[in-house]
Amino acid sequence: MSGAPDNAIEVEHVTLELGGRAILNHASFTVRTGEFIGVLGPNGAGKTTLMRALLGLLPLSGGSIRVGGEAVVRGNPSIGYMPQIRSGLAGRRVRGRDFVTMAADGHRWGVPHAGAAIRADVDRVLDLVDAHALAARPLSELSGGERQRLLLAQCLLGNPKVLLLDEPLISLDPRHQTGVVDLVRRVQRELNITVLFSAHELNPLLNSLDRVLYLGNGRAALGTVDEVITKPVLSQLYGSPIDVMRVNGRIFVMSGDVEIDKLDHAHEEGDDGHEHEHDHGHEHGHDHAHKAKGKHTHV
């Protein structure tokens, strides 16, 4: 791979291991600049692990990764990251604007004292996500979808070129899921940035994504929905027979008579200890200084 500027992310023969288990095994794919990529796969397939590797938080066991044509480094300012968040924000009394500002100057606790440049950048990202009305309200009074809007604003500080969004739809109802996906797509198009958006289920992303990256069984498949979401490809990635049904504009991935994403929700990713080993300095995306900065490919 050449590191050409039209490629945002280049993964070449990458092996990633956790606890002695290969999460990815000799995987290769290329994400083009300005693409919206849905990242899917069964529990433990490596969605979060891949994002952590892109952030430079997890060493590669083999191969190479380039972001914007450069080798990955921890603290890459060209990458905005929204970690998976399940609890903790709902009870916080910090105002929305202060919450966003914390990510700009690295303060995790307390009210930050921002300079003019940071205040201007906070205003810019609040405008981008249409969240000025939330700025004066405490997080504890906001809905899950509204809090996700502020988390997206945090990710956009500093004008990153790539956004890594780890399961931003978890715990949101369908209406708020649609709102978050539409917002990310609008901002992505407006800024011409690259988005990797991981999710348990494909359907909320169907009308927004350009291509889908499906991980499973140590492998990666990147292509259009019609190329990747097929019985042969998914059966290979799951390591067992998979059926794909299309009904009224929705896609259902089935193992026998059970829908795959329902199995995934039964025990959320990371509960087996393989998938999630968060670097807690990035847990809430507050440390902006450490925000880490195609063809159809089957591996």
Side-chain angles (χ1 to χ4, degrees):
M1 296 183 183
S2 65
D6 57 345
N7 292 331
I9 297 169
E10 297 164 298
V11 172
E12 186 170 12
H13 306 305
V14 164
T15 297
L16 287 170
E17 296 179 347
L18 280 179
R21 183 171 72 102
I23 305 296
L24 283 180
N25 188 15
H26 215 61
S28 298
F29 58 86
T30 298
V31 175
R32 296 185 290 266
T33 298
E35 281 195 293
F36 187 122
I37 303 292
V39 183
L40 294 109
N43 287 328
K47 299 187 290 291
T48 293
T49 301
L50 173 62
M51 289 188 177
R52 295 187 69 224
L54 291 168
L55 291 163
L57 300 178
L58 186 69
L60 307 183
S61 300
S64 64
I65 299 177
R66 298 173 70 84
V67 177
E70 303 292 334
V72 294
V73 292
R74 183 170 181 150
N76 185 347
S78 73
I79 301 179
Y81 176 46
M82 184 191 295
Q84 198 172 114
I85 302 221
R86 289 192 171 88
S87 62
L89 296 184
R92 297 189 62 184
R93 294 294 302 173
V94 63
R95 294 187 313 158
R97 183 185 183 87
D98 293 334
F99 177 67
V100 175
T101 305
M102 287 173 186
D105 63 7
H107 284 76
R108 283 185 62 102
W109 309 112
V111 178
H113 301 284
I118 288 177
R119 290 197 301 271
D121 202 26
V122 170
D123 282 335
R124 178 185 66 85
V125 297
L126 288 173
D127 281 335
L128 276 172
V129 303
D130 193 22
H132 273 293
L134 310 178
R137 296 171 59 193
L139 296 186
S140 57
E141 294 180 5
L142 303 181
S143 70
E146 289 169 333
R147 288 192 292 270
Q148 291 297 71
R149 193 173 289 267
L150 293 175
L151 285 164
L152 180 60
Q154 285 189 336
C155 294
L156 294 167
L157 289 164
N159 287 301
K161 305 301 181 188
V162 174
L163 290 186
L164 306 179
L165 309 180
D166 192 0
E167 299 276 13
L169 304 184
I170 278 183
S171 301
L172 297 182
D173 63 33
R175 179 174 63 87
H176 284 123
Q177 287 186 357
T178 299
V180 169
V181 174
D182 289 348
L183 173 63
V184 171
R185 183 57 158 166
R186 176 179 63 75
V187 170
Q188 179 255 339
R189 285 175 165 165
E190 183 175 338
L191 300 179
N192 191 35
I193 55 179
T194 305
V195 172
L196 266 61
F197 189 122
S198 75
H200 266 90
E201 185 189 1
L202 173 64
N203 286 306
L205 305 180
L206 267 181
N207 294 327
S208 295
L209 55 76
D210 296 306
R211 293 193 294 169
V212 59
L213 174 63
Y214 219 107
L215 307 178
N217 210 23
R219 301 168 183 261
L222 176 63
T224 66
V225 169
D226 288 341
E227 289 169 334
V228 172
I229 310 301
T230 68
K231 180 174 181 175
V233 172
L234 295 187
S235 295
Q236 184 182 50
L237 293 176
Y238 278 88
S240 61
I242 297 295
D243 290 312
V244 177
M245 300 174 58
R246 287 169 166 80
V247 181
N248 296 328
R250 292 171 61 82
I251 296 176
F252 300 92
V253 178
M254 311 292 294
S255 176
D257 59 356
V258 179
E259 192 178 346
I260 285 290
D261 76 279
K262 299 299 187 291
L263 292 175
D264 283 353
H265 281 294
H267 59 287
E268 290 195 335
E269 204 166 80
D271 293 347
D272 60 5
H274 290 305
E275 171 73 308
H276 282 260
E277 296 181 12
H278 277 305
D279 182 283
H280 290 284
H282 292 70
E283 186 69 21
H284 291 148
H286 288 177
D287 190 349
H288 188 66
H290 286 174
K291 279 199 319 179
K293 207 170 181 188
K295 60 183 180 179
H296 172 217
T297 307
H298 284 171
V299 182

